[in-house]
């Protein structure tokens, strides 16, 4: 079932989770071990992130180095199929522009369609580690908007091979990313929202936000979306803080602020167990307030922390 239909049919705020594919070498059981405890909360859908390959230099026996492309977290498409098969819950694969040509993207979409996956979250992806700024593949998509248009075309039966006439239509519900604190490359929030509106006008049916730790940022963002004519559901993305190093890592990597009150509480902690307790209680308060305000879904970034997520969701369902 499509994410947008889950939202339309819901009588109450829904819960959903995002997971990462395991590092190469682990089995699908690591995904089940991660998800099993969270399934008690009946998530409406589970997102699975996509990760581009990284350029690495491997030492050869003669002492010279060989450049290799390594994908550390493969398996998004397979994990989505496994989740749908094992738990009978809808999976939402993330699709990115970075590292992918349009033909590879088309093939991935065909695989997903054949597997019965009818949701995708389309994203640009970040710059590769060895690039100063995002560079698409020579035949790849530059922006999430371009990737979105490719999915919309496939939903209309239009394939990259122009000689395919009356091509089978896919049926993807398309979500996109939004940034309550603005995407870090955008010159200002209005410009960012102009591009977000372009994604919605082109066919995005909902927005999932970057994490935020101050609900007022989300409320202001939704208001700004509405003022820009973005009328689709805006799903808040939520992450628990579980370690002291996240105080500097989260702003650096995700370009988000941590409220002073939360930062002060974390700085008082003697170890990461205490930080986890502070982070859990902060996320419970955030979730309760968001639910009270009538958000469509509480979407949790669960990375390696199923217990914390269970402790939070138990308090709000
Ligand atoms: P875009 O919408 O393409 O926007 C990128 C920048 O370009 C913005 O500054 C925007 O204002 C600007 N822009 C947009 N369109 C245009 C245009 N037509 N002309 C000029 N400027 C334009 N990354 C991953 O690699 N894998 C994942 O699985 C993943 N999942 C994510 C899930 C969520 C909910 C979020 C919020 C982010 C996720 N990301 C993921 C990170 C994301 O890929 C990065 O934040 C990336 O830098 C931007 O992606 P986007 O889809 O928002 O890009």
């Amino acid at each position: 079932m499509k994410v947008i239909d889950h939202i339309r049919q819901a009588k109450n705020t829904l819960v959903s989770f995002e997971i990462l594919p395991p590092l190469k070498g682990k089995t699908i059981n690591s995904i089940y071990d991660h998800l099993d405890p969270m399934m008690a909360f009946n998530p409406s859908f589970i997102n699975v992130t996509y990760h581009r390959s990284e350029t690495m230099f491997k030492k050869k026996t003669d002492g010279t180095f060989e450049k290799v492309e390594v994908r550390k977290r493969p398996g998004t498409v397979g994990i989505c199929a496994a989740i749908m098969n094992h738990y009978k819950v809808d999976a939402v694969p993330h699709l990115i522009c970075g590292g992918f040509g349009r033909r590879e993207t088309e093939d991935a979409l065909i695989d997903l369609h054949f597997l019965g996956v009818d949701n995708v979250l389309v994203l640009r992806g970040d710059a590769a580690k060895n690039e100063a700024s995002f560079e698409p593949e020579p035949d790849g998509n530059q922006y999430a908007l371009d990737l979105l248009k490719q999915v919309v075309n496939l939903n209309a039966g239009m394939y990259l091979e122009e000689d395919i006439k009356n091509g089978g239509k896919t049926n993807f519900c398309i979500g996109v990313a939004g940034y309550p604190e603005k995407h870090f490359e955008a010159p200002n929030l209005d410009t960012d929202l102009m591009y977000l509106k372009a994604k919605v006008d082109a066919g995005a049916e909902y927005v999932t936000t970057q994490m935020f730790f101050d609900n007022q940022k989300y409320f202001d963002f939704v208001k700004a979306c509405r003022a820009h004519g973005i009328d689709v559901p805006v799903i808040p993305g939520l992450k628990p803080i579980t370690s002291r190093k996240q105080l500097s890592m989260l702003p650096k990597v995700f370009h988000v602020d941590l409220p002073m009150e939360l930062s002060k509480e974390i700085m008082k902690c003697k170890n990461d167990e205490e930080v986890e307790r502070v982070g859990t209680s902060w996320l419970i308060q955030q979730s309760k307030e968001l639910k009270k305000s009538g958000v469509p879904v509480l979407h949790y970034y669960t990375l390696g922390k199923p217990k914390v997520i269970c402790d939070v969701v138990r308090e709000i369902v």
Side-chain angles (χ1 to χ4, degrees):
M1 184 163 143
K2 296 177 172 194
V3 167
I4 195 66
D5 292 329
H6 279 287
I7 293 174
R8 283 185 187 135
Q9 290 173 20
K11 295 195 173 62
N12 215 328
T13 297
L14 304 172
V15 169
S16 62
F17 301 126
E18 178 193 281
I19 60 165
L20 269 68
L23 288 168
K24 194 185 274 187
K26 298 209 166 165
T27 70
I28 190 71
N29 288 328
S30 64
I31 290 291
Y32 298 148
D33 290 345
H34 183 81
L35 281 174
D36 277 349
M38 296 189 289
M39 297 314 288
F41 304 108
N42 296 321
S44 298
F45 51 92
I46 296 170
N47 285 43
V48 185
T49 56
Y50 214 115
H51 301 264
R52 66 187 300 170
S53 57
E54 292 174 31
T55 307
M56 303 186 85
F57 292 90
K58 260 187 148 174
K59 199 168 186 182
K60 296 204 291 187
T61 45
D62 63 2
T64 60
F65 286 86
E66 182 191 9
K67 195 173 160 187
V68 284
E69 287 291 312
V70 180
R71 182 164 295 147
K72 290 185 179 169
R73 293 182 186 272
T76 299
V77 172
I79 292 169
C80 285
I83 287 173
M84 292 184 52
N85 187 41
H86 191 76
Y87 296 112
K88 314 287 176 235
V89 169
D90 288 304
V92 183
H94 293 191
L95 270 190
I96 60 173
C97 307
F100 294 88
R102 297 176 73 233
R103 284 176 198 284
E104 282 172 284
T105 297
E106 183 169 276
D107 291 348
L109 287 164
I110 291 169
D111 284 344
L112 289 167
H113 177 60
F114 287 171
L115 286 165
V117 178
D118 51 10
N119 290 290
V120 281
L121 187 75
V122 304
L123 304 139
R124 187 195 67 180
D126 284 318
K129 287 200 172 128
N130 56 338
E131 285 171 358
S133 58
F134 180 83
E135 289 290 338
E137 293 300 297
D139 66 334
N141 291 302
Q142 166 96 47
Y143 292 107
L145 176 64
D146 306 314
L147 174 54
L148 189 148
K149 285 179 179 165
Q150 186 177 357
V151 183
V152 168
N153 281 345
L154 217 57
N155 278 350
M158 285 160 62
Y159 290 72
L160 295 174
E161 327 295 339
E162 279 160 9
D163 48 342
I164 297 179
K165 306 283 179 222
N166 301 319
K169 294 177 183 178
T170 57
N171 188 25
F172 291 107
C173 166
I174 309 169
V176 290
Y179 302 82
E181 298 178 60
K182 164 184 113 52
H183 184 259
F184 72 103
E185 292 167 26
N188 51 61
L189 185 62
D190 282 336
T191 311
D192 210 19
L193 287 169
M194 180 180 83
Y195 291 127
L196 182 57
K197 173 138 181 11
K199 292 193 277 191
V200 171
D201 289 347
E205 293 184 81
Y206 67 96
V207 175
T208 303
T209 76
Q210 181 59 281
M211 67 186 77
F212 55 89
F213 297 93
D214 175 356
N215 285 349
Q216 195 54 49
K217 301 221 162 142
Y218 168 83
F219 296 135
D220 291 346
F221 179 67
V222 175
K223 218 168 153 191
C225 283
R226 305 304 180 228
H228 279 77
I230 300 165
D231 289 327
V232 296
V234 179
I235 299 177
L238 298 162
K239 182 180 163 56
I241 297 217
T242 52
S243 72
R244 202 187 164 104
K245 69 172 190 291
Q246 289 174 325
L247 262 187
S248 51
M249 187 279 275
L250 294 173
K252 186 172 160 203
V253 176
F254 296 102
H255 311 276
V256 293
D257 276 358
L258 271 70
M260 190 60 187
E261 196 189 332
L262 175 60
S263 315
K264 273 189 184 162
E265 287 300 311
I266 293 171
M267 282 188 283
K268 276 194 237 156
C269 294
K270 291 186 205 70
N271 52 45
D272 282 348
E273 275 121 72
E274 284 186 21
V275 175
E276 194 168 297
R277 278 200 287 277
V278 169
T280 303
S281 119
W282 188 270
L283 189 53
I284 290 171
Q285 294 317 316
Q286 262 196 285
S287 304
K288 281 185 174 168
E289 188 185 27
L290 288 165
K291 186 175 176 184
K292 205 168 159 206
S293 78
V295 297
V297 184
L298 292 166
H299 182 65
Y300 293 98
Y301 300 124
T302 71
L303 176 62
K305 293 289 169 192
K307 185 187 167 299
V308 176
I309 300 298
C310 289
D311 289 347
V312 170
V313 181
R314 197 174 297 115
E315 292 293 317
I316 49 115
V317 286

